[in-house]
Amino acid sequence: MFYRLSRVDDSGWVPTYFLAALGAGGLSVSFFMWLMFWLPHPGAPVPLFEDAVAALAEGGLLIKLAVLGAWAGVALFSALHIHLLVWNLRRYARFRSTPAYHELRNSNSETQLLAGPLTVAMSINVGFILGLTFVPGLWSVVEWLFPLALLAFVLVGYWALALLRDFWGRVLVGGGFDCVRNNNLGQLMPAFASAMIAVGLAAPAAMSQNTVTVAFSLVLSSFFMVLAFIIGGIQVVLGFRAMLEQGADPSTAPSLWIVVPILTTLSITLLRQTHGLHGHFESGAGGVEALTMLMFFLCAQLVFGLLGWVVLSRYGYFSRFVTGTEKSAGAYALVCPGVALTVMVHFFINAGLVGFGALERFSAGYWALTVIALVLQGVTIWLVIRLNRLHFGGADHA
């Protein structure tokens, strides 16, 4: 999976390649779900290095295998994420001095630049997961880390807002947005970036014991969550209107699935906010029913998943750009829905069904549903390997 990345020259690089790094980071999160929901962690709301060590010493064979598998998955895909992130940032720096960049800034595709802050926001999440998974004693200093994490996400949010300012300022004042060529859901990239920033900003609300930190977390995450909902609502309507008139653009058809990861990040944001509201501002204050919310969001994901599958299948997208030899950076948009559904199923089972007593933890029914998440995870891993080999592999792979 690790390549020298020399097969994509500067002229072939586009911001959508950031999604390659994003997908790898998402897979590291999917392996952390094993620790999150299968290990006891009574001392903290999230599993720590000490909890995993205790499970290795005292747990059964399956638990030990789960810990070792989670450690390997988190480490491997975090390393791949960093590898691809550094490569993309270098290419992006060179891309900014090319005519193609200035052409991009005056087209519908300007919003694809939001893939940058989207991926960097994921990097902060990956860094936190690496700390929880491999750093002993992290929880003793975590209250000092939360303000730093909030600051980091705010800086990424400022980058995203600056890009949105330029885009919306240009098209709302001077016009020029080509509605005919908007026959996809690629314009949801800003909503995805906003949702990723929101879920990161909401983390201290669920984990911090400091009321001031929780308050800042709630306010900041709410801003970006609302921004994601507003942009998402506008662009879904505009995108579907253009697709109904022109038909979906075959090269950007995977954008139909971008709604899936957006809904996963927003649902986790709401769960984290609810935990903070219940813990610091009296039980039930502004909360949502976790099971109902997760159920509605999961059903919405399935609707968009089925719709996207119909379009992608009729265009023969998978045989062309996944198992075939044609290359499109947009194919990496297929990774995010796989990761998002994997994580969503874990949350629906554990925070939803188990949390509300509808399902017994580690029962036969529990594992029957969990297999769905594991299969999705396996398919997504295969997809990442396949796409990386197609785009970056060959004779000059490392």
Side-chain angles (χ1 to χ4, degrees):
M1 288 188 292
F2 291 84
Y3 300 95
R4 292 195 185 101
L5 306 178
S6 58
R7 298 190 70 195
V8 180
D9 57 27
D10 287 348
S11 62
W13 185 89
V14 290
T16 317
Y17 269 117
F18 271 111
L19 298 182
L22 179 71
L27 279 172
S28 71
V29 174
S30 73
F31 277 97
F32 185 74
M33 294 296 99
W34 296 12
L35 304 176
M36 180 74 179
F37 295 119
W38 298 349
L39 295 188
H41 41 92
V46 288
L48 308 174
F49 172 78
E50 291 79 4
D51 299 316
V53 171
L56 285 175
E58 304 169 4
L61 177 61
L62 290 179
I63 290 296
K64 291 178 180 178
L65 291 175
V67 170
L68 294 175
W71 277 358
V74 169
L76 175 64
F77 287 103
S78 295
L80 181 60
H81 166 76
I82 296 169
H83 181 58
L84 290 167
L85 174 67
V86 171
W87 176 75
N88 274 289
L89 289 174
R90 288 175 175 172
R91 291 298 173 99
Y92 177 59
R94 295 201 291 265
F95 179 68
R96 286 169 58 89
S97 62
T98 65
Y101 173 76
H102 298 287
E103 181 180 347
L104 182 74
R105 293 302 298 260
N106 291 284
S107 69
N108 286 17
S109 299
E110 183 178 7
T111 53
Q112 301 311 299
L113 293 172
L114 271 293
L118 166 63
T119 306
V120 172
M122 172 61 82
S123 299
I124 302 172
N125 290 321
V126 169
F128 194 69
I129 284 175
L130 284 171
L132 292 173
T133 306
F134 297 113
V135 178
L138 182 71
W139 204 249
S140 63
V141 297
V142 74
E143 290 294 347
W144 295 96
L145 298 178
F146 285 141
L148 296 177
L150 289 175
L151 176 61
F153 279 112
V154 167
L155 292 175
V156 176
Y158 176 79
W159 178 15
L161 290 173
L163 291 172
L164 281 175
R165 174 200 61 201
D166 294 342
F167 173 74
W168 286 109
R170 174 175 64 83
V171 299
L172 292 180
V173 174
F177 186 80
D178 191 345
C179 291
V180 174
R181 300 187 65 182
N182 188 42
N183 53 339
N184 56 71
L185 294 184
Q187 292 298 323
L188 286 177
M189 188 70 76
F192 193 5
S194 300
M196 185 65 71
I197 295 167
V199 75
L201 286 169
M207 292 182 276
S208 177
Q209 299 301 313
N210 187 300
T211 303
V212 174
T213 300
V214 171
F216 272 99
S217 174
L218 289 169
V219 173
L220 292 170
S221 62
S222 294
F223 173 82
F224 284 97
M225 180 175 63
V226 170
L227 178 64
F229 274 119
I230 292 174
I231 294 176
I234 293 172
Q235 295 299 344
V236 165
V237 172
L238 292 177
F240 269 96
R241 182 181 185 277
M243 285 188 286
L244 290 173
E245 290 181 348
Q246 309 294 327
D249 182 354
S251 64
T252 57
S255 65
L256 287 167
W257 280 353
I258 197 173
V259 175
V260 175
I262 291 174
L263 291 178
T264 292
T265 50
L266 290 176
S267 65
I268 297 174
T269 301
L270 288 169
L271 286 174
R272 288 175 169 179
Q273 288 188 338
T274 299
H275 192 280
L277 288 165
H278 288 187
H280 292 267
F281 302 102
E282 299 183 3
S283 179
V288 295
E289 290 293 339
L291 178 58
T292 303
M293 183 268 292
L294 289 169
M295 180 173 60
F296 287 166
F297 277 27
L298 179 58
C299 289
Q301 289 176 312
L302 295 177
V303 169
F304 276 94
L306 292 172
L307 180 62
W309 181 267
V310 170
V311 176
L312 289 165
S313 298
R314 292 205 173 191
Y315 279 134
Y317 190 92
F318 301 103
S319 60
R320 292 175 57 191
F321 298 104
V322 178
T323 59
T325 58
E326 294 184 64
K327 297 179 184 179
S328 171
Y332 277 101
L334 299 172
V335 177
C336 301
V339 170
L341 273 178
T342 298
V343 173
M344 189 67 163
V345 170
H346 277 298
F347 270 92
F348 177 69
I349 294 170
N350 294 276
L353 297 176
V354 175
F356 280 78
L359 186 67
E360 183 181 352
R361 190 167 178 256
F362 297 155
S363 64
Y366 176 94
W367 288 116
L369 292 176
T370 300
V371 164
I372 298 174
L374 297 179
V375 170
L376 286 169
Q377 187 179 26
V379 171
T380 307
I381 291 171
W382 171 85
L383 180 61
V384 167
I385 295 172
R386 170 60 191 164
L387 291 177
N388 284 356
R389 182 179 300 158
L390 177 64
H391 287 260
F392 309 126
D396 53 338
H397 68 81

